Amino acid sequence: MAKMATSMVESGDDAFRKIFKFYRRRNPPPDFSKVIDFSKGVPSDKIVPAKLDAASVSDVEAAKVGLQPVRSWRAFGLQGYPGFIFISNPFLVGSQSFWVRQCLKTYPQKPNVCNLDMHMSSSDTQDIWGKSVHGLSLPPSGKKEPKTLLERLRWVTLGYHYNWDTKTYSANHHSAFPADLHSLSLHITAACGFPGFNAEAGILNYYRSDSSLGIHVDESEIDHSRPLLSFSFGQSAIFLLGGICRQDPPTAMYMHSGDMMVMSGQSRLLYHAVPRIVPAPHGHAAVEMEGRSQAASLQDGTVVELVSEEDWAVCSRYLHSSRVNVTVRQVLGPGQSFPETPSSHQRTNASQTAGYHDGSADGESGKRRRISSYD
Ligand code: OGA
Ligand code: MN
Protein backbone atom coordinates (compact mmCIF):
# COMPACT_ATOMS: atom_id res chain seq x y z
CA MET A 1 0.00 0.00 0.00
CA ALA A 2 2.67 2.44 1.04
CA LYS A 3 4.75 1.31 -1.93
CA MET A 4 1.93 1.89 -4.36
CA ALA A 5 1.29 5.35 -2.99
CA THR A 6 4.94 6.21 -3.49
CA SER A 7 5.02 5.08 -7.10
CA MET A 8 1.80 6.92 -7.86
CA VAL A 9 3.24 10.08 -6.43
CA GLU A 10 6.37 9.63 -8.50
CA SER A 11 4.63 9.16 -11.81
CA GLY A 12 1.94 11.72 -11.20
CA ASP A 13 4.57 13.97 -9.82
CA ASP A 14 6.55 14.85 -12.88
CA ALA A 15 3.85 16.37 -15.03
CA PHE A 16 6.41 17.70 -17.47
CA ARG A 17 7.80 14.26 -18.21
CA LYS A 18 4.34 12.83 -18.84
CA ILE A 19 3.50 15.53 -21.37
CA PHE A 20 6.93 15.23 -22.97
CA LYS A 21 6.31 11.52 -23.52
CA PHE A 22 2.82 12.21 -24.80
CA TYR A 23 4.09 14.48 -27.57
CA ARG A 24 7.07 12.26 -28.37
CA ARG A 25 4.94 9.18 -28.91
CA ARG A 26 5.03 7.69 -32.42
CA ASN A 27 2.32 5.06 -32.25
CA PRO A 28 -0.41 6.16 -32.21
CA PRO A 29 0.56 9.78 -32.90
CA PRO A 30 -0.66 12.20 -30.22
CA ASP A 31 -3.53 14.66 -30.50
CA PHE A 32 -2.01 18.01 -31.46
CA SER A 33 -5.21 20.00 -31.03
CA LYS A 34 -4.05 21.65 -27.77
CA VAL A 35 -0.80 22.93 -29.26
CA ILE A 36 -0.78 26.73 -29.50
CA ASP A 37 -0.06 28.02 -32.99
CA PHE A 38 1.02 31.65 -32.82
CA SER A 39 1.09 31.89 -36.61
CA LYS A 40 -2.68 31.68 -36.48
CA GLY A 41 -2.26 34.21 -33.69
CA VAL A 42 -5.67 35.34 -32.69
CA PRO A 43 -5.28 36.58 -29.13
CA SER A 44 -7.25 34.44 -26.69
CA ASP A 45 -7.46 34.18 -22.92
CA LYS A 46 -3.96 32.63 -22.96
CA ILE A 47 -2.32 34.59 -25.77
CA VAL A 48 -1.87 38.31 -25.25
CA PRO A 49 -0.22 40.84 -27.57
CA ALA A 50 3.31 41.78 -26.39
CA LYS A 51 4.40 45.40 -26.34
CA LEU A 52 7.54 46.09 -28.32
CA ASP A 53 9.79 49.14 -28.40
CA ALA A 54 9.40 50.01 -32.07
CA ALA A 55 11.50 53.16 -31.75
CA SER A 56 14.56 51.22 -30.61
CA VAL A 57 15.32 49.82 -34.07
CA SER A 58 14.97 51.85 -37.26
CA ASP A 59 13.40 50.23 -40.31
CA VAL A 60 16.73 50.50 -42.11
CA GLU A 61 18.66 48.79 -39.30
CA ALA A 62 16.03 46.05 -39.14
CA ALA A 63 16.18 45.50 -42.90
CA LYS A 64 19.99 45.20 -42.83
CA VAL A 65 19.71 42.04 -40.74
CA GLY A 66 16.73 40.77 -42.73
CA LEU A 67 13.92 41.81 -40.39
CA GLN A 68 10.64 43.55 -41.09
CA PRO A 69 10.01 46.94 -39.44
CA VAL A 70 9.40 46.30 -35.74
CA ARG A 71 5.90 47.81 -35.90
CA SER A 72 4.80 45.02 -38.21
CA TRP A 73 6.10 42.17 -36.02
CA ARG A 74 3.44 39.94 -34.50
CA ALA A 75 4.63 39.49 -30.91
CA PHE A 76 2.78 37.67 -28.15
CA GLY A 77 3.00 36.91 -24.48
CA LEU A 78 1.50 33.91 -22.70
CA GLN A 79 -0.76 34.24 -19.70
CA GLY A 80 1.09 32.87 -16.67
CA TYR A 81 4.58 33.24 -18.20
CA PRO A 82 5.77 36.79 -17.50
CA GLY A 83 8.85 37.69 -19.54
CA PHE A 84 8.18 35.15 -22.29
CA ILE A 85 7.83 36.76 -25.73
CA PHE A 86 7.01 34.87 -28.93
CA ILE A 87 7.59 36.67 -32.24
CA SER A 88 5.94 34.99 -35.18
CA ASN A 89 8.48 34.99 -38.03
CA PRO A 90 9.57 38.64 -38.24
CA PHE A 91 11.97 38.03 -41.16
CA LEU A 92 11.59 39.80 -44.50
CA VAL A 93 10.56 37.43 -47.26
CA GLY A 94 13.71 35.86 -48.70
CA SER A 95 16.08 36.68 -45.87
CA GLN A 96 15.81 33.47 -43.83
CA SER A 97 17.94 31.88 -46.55
CA PHE A 98 20.95 33.96 -45.50
CA TRP A 99 20.69 32.88 -41.86
CA VAL A 100 20.16 29.27 -42.87
CA ARG A 101 23.31 29.41 -45.01
CA GLN A 102 25.23 30.87 -42.05
CA CYS A 103 24.02 28.04 -39.79
CA LEU A 104 24.93 25.31 -42.27
CA LYS A 105 27.99 26.65 -44.08
CA THR A 106 29.63 29.37 -41.98
CA TYR A 107 29.05 28.80 -38.26
CA PRO A 108 30.20 25.14 -38.23
CA GLN A 109 33.65 26.30 -39.43
CA LYS A 110 36.66 26.57 -37.14
CA PRO A 111 37.35 28.07 -34.67
CA ASN A 112 33.77 27.27 -33.67
CA VAL A 113 33.28 23.92 -31.96
CA CYS A 114 30.91 21.12 -33.00
CA ASN A 115 29.99 17.58 -31.94
CA LEU A 116 32.06 16.09 -34.78
CA ASP A 117 35.25 17.55 -33.24
CA MET A 118 34.78 15.24 -30.28
CA HIS A 119 35.64 12.12 -32.25
CA MET A 120 37.21 13.32 -35.48
CA SER A 121 40.51 14.97 -36.32
CA SER A 122 40.55 18.67 -37.08
CA SER A 123 41.42 18.00 -40.72
CA ASP A 124 38.33 15.81 -41.03
CA THR A 125 36.05 18.50 -39.59
CA GLN A 126 37.79 21.32 -41.43
CA ASP A 127 35.27 21.70 -44.25
CA ILE A 128 31.97 20.14 -43.22
CA TRP A 129 30.04 21.98 -45.90
CA GLY A 130 32.52 21.25 -48.71
CA LYS A 131 32.63 17.56 -47.80
CA SER A 132 28.81 17.31 -47.70
CA VAL A 133 27.76 19.25 -50.78
CA HIS A 134 28.21 16.38 -53.21
CA GLY A 135 26.27 13.86 -51.11
CA LEU A 136 23.45 16.29 -50.47
CA SER A 137 23.14 17.27 -54.11
CA LEU A 138 22.65 13.74 -55.44
CA PRO A 139 19.09 12.67 -56.14
CA PRO A 140 17.99 10.00 -53.66
CA SER A 141 19.17 6.66 -55.08
CA GLY A 142 16.76 4.54 -53.07
CA LYS A 143 19.76 2.83 -51.43
CA LYS A 144 20.88 3.66 -47.92
CA GLU A 145 23.67 6.21 -48.47
CA PRO A 146 26.27 7.00 -45.80
CA LYS A 147 25.33 10.19 -43.97
CA THR A 148 27.18 13.36 -44.91
CA LEU A 149 29.02 15.31 -42.20
CA LEU A 150 26.30 17.96 -42.35
CA GLU A 151 23.70 15.28 -41.63
CA ARG A 152 25.78 14.11 -38.66
CA LEU A 153 26.12 17.60 -37.22
CA ARG A 154 24.18 17.89 -33.93
CA TRP A 155 25.49 21.05 -32.30
CA VAL A 156 27.83 23.97 -32.82
CA THR A 157 28.93 26.39 -30.11
CA LEU A 158 29.91 30.02 -30.69
CA GLY A 159 31.60 32.66 -28.54
CA TYR A 160 32.13 31.24 -25.06
CA HIS A 161 31.95 27.56 -25.97
CA TYR A 162 29.61 25.68 -23.72
CA ASN A 163 31.29 22.73 -22.04
CA TRP A 164 28.70 19.92 -22.00
CA ASP A 165 30.73 18.00 -19.48
CA THR A 166 31.21 20.59 -16.75
CA LYS A 167 28.05 22.50 -17.78
CA THR A 168 29.99 25.74 -17.69
CA TYR A 169 31.38 28.46 -19.91
CA SER A 170 34.89 29.66 -19.25
CA ALA A 171 37.12 32.59 -20.13
CA ASN A 172 39.78 30.37 -21.70
CA HIS A 173 37.57 28.61 -24.22
CA HIS A 174 36.31 31.41 -26.37
CA SER A 175 36.32 32.54 -29.98
CA ALA A 176 34.94 35.68 -31.58
CA PHE A 177 31.14 35.71 -31.64
CA PRO A 178 29.87 36.14 -35.26
CA ALA A 179 29.25 39.86 -35.85
CA ASP A 180 26.18 39.26 -38.02
CA LEU A 181 24.43 37.13 -35.40
CA HIS A 182 25.40 39.62 -32.71
CA SER A 183 23.76 42.36 -34.71
CA LEU A 184 20.55 40.36 -35.31
CA SER A 185 20.36 39.50 -31.59
CA LEU A 186 20.96 43.09 -30.53
CA HIS A 187 18.03 44.35 -32.62
CA ILE A 188 15.60 41.67 -31.51
CA THR A 189 16.36 42.06 -27.81
CA ALA A 190 16.27 45.87 -28.07
CA ALA A 191 12.81 45.70 -29.63
CA CYS A 192 11.77 43.47 -26.71
CA GLY A 193 12.90 46.08 -24.18
CA PHE A 194 16.45 44.90 -23.46
CA PRO A 195 18.85 47.47 -24.94
CA GLY A 196 22.57 46.72 -24.89
CA PHE A 197 22.30 42.93 -25.10
CA ASN A 198 25.71 41.39 -25.51
CA ALA A 199 25.63 38.15 -27.51
CA GLU A 200 28.46 36.17 -25.93
CA ALA A 201 27.58 32.51 -26.43
CA GLY A 202 25.56 30.66 -29.03
CA ILE A 203 24.38 27.07 -29.23
CA LEU A 204 23.08 25.75 -32.52
CA ASN A 205 21.05 22.55 -32.39
CA TYR A 206 20.58 20.51 -35.56
CA TYR A 207 17.51 18.28 -35.44
CA ARG A 208 16.51 15.49 -37.82
CA SER A 209 12.85 14.60 -38.07
CA ASP A 210 13.11 12.02 -35.26
CA SER A 211 15.18 14.12 -32.83
CA SER A 212 14.04 15.53 -29.53
CA LEU A 213 15.60 17.75 -26.90
CA GLY A 214 15.31 16.75 -23.25
CA ILE A 215 13.73 18.68 -20.41
CA HIS A 216 16.13 21.29 -19.07
CA VAL A 217 16.71 24.76 -17.68
CA ASP A 218 19.38 27.06 -19.14
CA GLU A 219 21.11 28.21 -16.01
CA SER A 220 24.82 28.01 -16.84
CA GLU A 221 24.97 31.66 -17.82
CA ILE A 222 26.20 33.76 -14.92
CA ASP A 223 23.85 36.71 -15.30
CA HIS A 224 20.25 35.48 -15.45
CA SER A 225 18.84 38.97 -15.70
CA ARG A 226 19.71 39.07 -19.40
CA PRO A 227 17.26 37.47 -21.82
CA LEU A 228 17.86 34.27 -23.78
CA LEU A 229 17.01 34.44 -27.46
CA SER A 230 15.98 31.47 -29.60
CA PHE A 231 15.06 31.13 -33.25
CA SER A 232 14.63 28.31 -35.71
CA PHE A 233 14.64 27.44 -39.38
CA GLY A 234 13.28 24.60 -41.46
CA GLN A 235 10.87 22.02 -40.09
CA SER A 236 8.59 22.91 -37.18
CA ALA A 237 8.90 21.83 -33.56
CA ILE A 238 6.62 21.22 -30.64
CA PHE A 239 8.09 23.34 -27.85
CA LEU A 240 7.06 22.75 -24.24
CA LEU A 241 7.34 25.60 -21.76
CA GLY A 242 6.96 24.56 -18.14
CA GLY A 243 7.42 26.15 -14.77
CA ILE A 244 10.15 26.44 -12.17
CA CYS A 245 9.58 22.84 -11.11
CA ARG A 246 8.95 19.62 -12.95
CA GLN A 247 5.53 19.23 -11.39
CA ASP A 248 4.21 22.22 -13.31
CA PRO A 249 2.51 20.97 -16.48
CA PRO A 250 4.01 22.66 -19.54
CA THR A 251 2.25 24.57 -22.30
CA ALA A 252 2.77 23.17 -25.82
CA MET A 253 3.33 25.48 -28.77
CA TYR A 254 4.54 25.20 -32.35
CA MET A 255 7.77 26.83 -33.38
CA HIS A 256 7.82 27.33 -37.16
CA SER A 257 10.61 28.47 -39.43
CA GLY A 258 11.63 32.06 -38.65
CA ASP A 259 9.81 32.17 -35.29
CA MET A 260 11.62 33.64 -32.32
CA MET A 261 11.33 33.36 -28.57
CA VAL A 262 12.73 35.62 -25.92
CA MET A 263 12.94 34.15 -22.43
CA SER A 264 13.42 36.93 -19.93
CA GLY A 265 12.49 37.95 -16.41
CA GLN A 266 10.57 35.23 -14.58
CA SER A 267 10.55 33.04 -17.71
CA ARG A 268 14.33 32.99 -18.05
CA LEU A 269 14.79 29.94 -15.83
CA LEU A 270 11.75 27.84 -16.71
CA TYR A 271 11.92 24.18 -17.67
CA HIS A 272 11.50 23.59 -21.39
CA ALA A 273 11.99 20.87 -24.01
CA VAL A 274 11.38 19.89 -27.62
CA PRO A 275 9.68 16.48 -27.65
CA ARG A 276 9.05 16.36 -31.38
CA ILE A 277 9.87 17.75 -34.79
CA VAL A 278 6.83 18.04 -37.05
CA PRO A 279 6.64 18.74 -40.78
CA ALA A 280 6.37 22.46 -41.51
CA PRO A 281 2.82 23.31 -42.51
CA HIS A 282 2.43 24.21 -46.15
CA GLY A 283 3.97 27.60 -46.88
CA HIS A 284 5.85 27.80 -43.58
CA ALA A 285 9.27 26.29 -44.18
CA ALA A 286 11.96 28.62 -45.47
CA VAL A 287 12.60 25.87 -47.99
CA GLU A 288 9.42 25.93 -49.97
CA MET A 289 8.31 29.37 -49.00
CA GLU A 290 10.64 31.85 -50.39
CA GLY A 291 13.98 30.60 -51.60
CA ARG A 292 16.36 33.49 -51.63
CA SER A 293 15.93 37.11 -52.44
CA GLN A 294 18.04 40.21 -52.31
CA ALA A 295 15.94 41.61 -49.48
CA ALA A 296 17.97 44.57 -48.29
CA SER A 297 21.11 44.09 -50.31
CA LEU A 298 21.21 47.58 -51.72
CA GLN A 299 21.93 49.44 -48.49
CA ASP A 300 25.32 50.23 -47.02
CA GLY A 301 26.35 48.06 -44.12
CA THR A 302 23.88 45.33 -44.98
CA VAL A 303 24.47 42.07 -43.15
CA VAL A 304 22.13 39.84 -45.14
CA GLU A 305 23.67 38.85 -48.46
CA LEU A 306 22.24 37.05 -51.44
CA VAL A 307 22.77 33.30 -51.17
CA SER A 308 24.04 31.65 -54.35
CA GLU A 309 21.75 29.26 -56.14
CA GLU A 310 24.16 26.36 -55.54
CA ASP A 311 24.33 27.04 -51.80
CA TRP A 312 20.59 27.40 -51.54
CA ALA A 313 20.03 24.08 -53.31
CA VAL A 314 22.07 22.35 -50.59
CA CYS A 315 20.39 24.28 -47.75
CA SER A 316 16.89 23.58 -48.95
CA ARG A 317 17.63 19.91 -49.47
CA TYR A 318 19.00 19.70 -45.93
CA LEU A 319 16.07 21.58 -44.38
CA HIS A 320 13.60 19.31 -46.05
CA SER A 321 14.02 16.89 -43.16
CA SER A 322 15.74 19.05 -40.54
CA ARG A 323 15.33 21.90 -38.15
CA VAL A 324 18.06 24.25 -36.97
CA ASN A 325 17.63 26.08 -33.67
CA VAL A 326 19.88 28.93 -32.63
CA THR A 327 20.01 30.15 -29.03
CA VAL A 328 21.95 33.27 -28.17
CA ARG A 329 23.00 34.01 -24.62
CA GLN A 330 24.66 36.80 -22.71
CA VAL A 331 26.81 34.98 -20.19
CA LEU A 332 28.18 37.81 -18.05
CA GLY A 333 26.56 40.95 -16.74
CA PRO A 334 28.26 44.33 -17.07
CA GLY A 335 31.57 44.23 -15.19
CA GLN A 336 31.15 40.55 -14.31
CA SER A 337 33.83 37.93 -14.86
CA PHE A 338 34.00 34.16 -14.55
CA PRO A 339 34.51 32.74 -11.08
CA GLU A 340 37.90 31.06 -10.62
CA THR A 341 37.18 27.35 -10.35
CA PRO A 342 39.41 24.36 -11.05
CA SER A 343 36.96 23.28 -13.78
CA SER A 344 37.62 26.44 -15.76
CA HIS A 345 41.08 25.10 -16.49
CA GLN A 346 40.19 21.67 -17.78
CA ARG A 347 38.32 20.46 -20.78
CA THR A 348 37.87 16.80 -21.45
CA ASN A 349 36.81 16.21 -24.99
CA ALA A 350 36.07 12.51 -24.73
CA SER A 351 33.40 12.82 -22.10
CA GLN A 352 31.74 15.73 -23.86
CA THR A 353 30.61 13.45 -26.67
CA ALA A 354 28.92 11.06 -24.34
CA GLY A 355 27.26 13.89 -22.49
CA TYR A 356 25.30 15.13 -25.42
CA HIS A 357 23.67 12.17 -27.09
CA ASP A 358 21.24 10.97 -24.56
CA GLY A 359 19.60 7.63 -25.05
CA SER A 360 16.90 8.16 -22.46
CA ALA A 361 13.42 7.85 -23.85
CA ASP A 362 11.67 10.07 -21.37
CA GLY A 363 13.19 13.46 -21.89
CA GLU A 364 15.18 13.27 -18.70
CA SER A 365 18.29 15.39 -18.90
CA GLY A 366 18.79 16.90 -15.50
CA LYS A 367 19.19 20.60 -15.77
CA ARG A 368 20.81 20.60 -19.19
CA ARG A 369 19.73 20.09 -22.73
CA ARG A 370 20.34 16.94 -24.67
CA ILE A 371 19.30 15.92 -28.14
CA SER A 372 18.45 12.34 -28.81
CA SER A 373 16.99 10.56 -31.78
CA TYR A 374 15.82 7.15 -32.77
CA ASP A 375 18.67 6.44 -35.18
C1 OGA B 1 18.38 25.11 -26.08
C2 OGA B 1 16.93 24.99 -26.37
C3 OGA B 1 15.12 24.83 -27.89
C4 OGA B 1 14.77 24.59 -29.32
O1 OGA B 1 19.19 24.98 -27.01
O2 OGA B 1 18.73 25.36 -24.92
O3 OGA B 1 16.18 24.98 -25.43
O4 OGA B 1 13.73 25.11 -29.74
N1 OGA B 1 16.50 24.89 -27.64
O5 OGA B 1 15.47 23.84 -30.02
MN1 MN C 1 17.12 25.63 -23.57
Side-chain angles (χ1 to χ4, degrees):
M1 179 67 193
K3 198 169 170 214
M4 189 170 152
T6 313
S7 66
M8 275 171 66
V9 171
E10 272 164 15
S11 58
D13 208 303
D14 188 348
F16 200 128
R17 181 143 148 250
K18 259 190 170 162
I19 296 178
F20 181 95
K21 287 170 99 169
F22 173 81
Y23 282 112
R24 204 177 118 123
R25 194 178 67 198
R26 295 277 137 188
N27 260 315
D31 171 9
F32 292 115
S33 64
K34 295 259 162 55
V35 182
I36 293 176
D37 193 341
F38 288 98
S39 70
K40 305 199 170 126
V42 259
S44 65
D45 53 337
K46 282 208 90 177
I47 305 168
V48 292
K51 281 216 170 51
L52 298 177
D53 181 2
S56 63
V57 186
S58 73
D59 294 1
V60 170
E61 290 303 313
K64 284 180 185 171
V65 294
L67 296 170
Q68 295 174 31
V70 176
R71 66 182 173 293
S72 28
W73 296 5
R74 298 172 50 255
F76 306 96
L78 257 187
Q79 210 60 256
Y81 298 89
F84 176 77
I85 304 170
F86 191 103
I87 310 166
S88 191
N89 183 15
F91 287 100
L92 289 163
V93 172
S95 50
Q96 284 190 50
S97 55
F98 169 78
W99 294 107
V100 169
R101 203 256 335 244
Q102 295 304 79
C103 292
L104 299 182
K105 184 177 184 179
T106 310
Y107 301 150
Q109 288 172 27
K110 300 282 154 299
N112 301 331
V113 180
C114 72
N115 64 300
L116 302 172
D117 297 326
M118 303 301 149
H119 44 81
M120 289 172 75
S121 70
S122 54
S123 61
D124 286 340
T125 59
Q126 198 51 251
D127 185 14
I128 293 171
W129 173 268
K131 292 187 170 95
S132 304
V133 162
H134 181 68
L136 279 171
S137 309
L138 294 172
S141 69
K143 286 197 297 233
K144 203 167 160 63
E145 311 275 1
K147 288 219 183 337
T148 60
L149 289 184
L150 204 49
E151 290 165 303
R152 290 166 53 198
L153 193 62
R154 287 293 167 273
W155 54 264
V156 166
T157 55
L158 311 171
Y160 288 118
H161 299 285
Y162 186 66
N163 184 326
W164 304 95
D165 190 34
T166 61
K167 301 179 167 48
T168 59
Y169 303 96
S170 68
N172 58 10
H173 194 201
H174 177 265
S175 48
F177 192 93
D180 50 11
L181 188 55
H182 189 283
S183 183
L184 176 70
S185 307
L186 184 70
H187 294 324
I188 295 158
T189 46
C192 291
F194 298 94
F197 179 77
N198 201 8
E200 292 174 321
I203 298 178
L204 283 79
N205 289 311
Y206 299 83
Y207 296 82
R208 311 296 296 172
S209 42
D210 61 355
S211 308
S212 60
L213 177 75
I215 307 164
H216 69 278
V217 172
D218 292 286
E219 59 183 0
S220 299
E221 297 73 25
I222 292 167
D223 183 354
H224 296 149
S225 72
R226 305 304 287 163
L228 189 150
L229 174 63
S230 167
F231 45 92
S232 315
F233 302 107
Q235 300 305 309
S236 301
I238 306 272
F239 182 86
L240 297 179
L241 182 64
I244 50 170
C245 43
R246 298 273 297 245
Q247 287 88 331
D248 301 332
T251 299
M253 62 196 85
Y254 288 106
M255 200 173 186
H256 299 301
S257 194
D259 288 351
M260 301 191 178
M261 287 178 186
V262 174
M263 294 173 81
S264 70
Q266 288 182 45
S267 291
R268 174 65 180 75
L269 293 173
L270 298 182
Y271 277 102
H272 57 279
V274 176
R276 194 184 192 100
I277 301 301
V278 287
H282 202 68
H284 264 281
V287 215
E288 28 185 87
M289 201 161 70
E290 42 185 58
R292 8 151 257 142
S293 86
Q294 304 205 27
S297 63
L298 297 173
Q299 282 153 18
D300 269 357
T302 291
V303 166
V304 170
E305 303 160 352
L306 179 66
V307 176
S308 73
E309 224 163 290
E310 299 91 293
D311 282 1
W312 184 243
V314 176
C315 291
S316 57
R317 169 75 71 97
Y318 175 89
L319 282 190
H320 212 80
S321 53
S322 312
R323 167 181 186 253
V324 182
N325 171 253
V326 184
T327 51
V328 183
R329 302 124 192 276
Q330 176 164 345
V331 177
L332 301 166
Q336 245 176 359
S337 53
F338 289 100
E340 267 303 309
T341 60
S343 67
S344 57
H345 297 290
Q346 44 162 264
R347 270 174 39 227
T348 49
N349 283 351
S351 47
Q352 285 177 355
T353 325
Y356 198 76
H357 285 277
D358 174 39
S360 83
D362 60 2
E364 193 71 56
S365 69
K367 291 222 164 187
R368 244 313 166 177
R369 73 191 68 77
R370 300 196 200 281
I371 280 193
S372 56
S373 49
Y374 289 90
D375 57 16

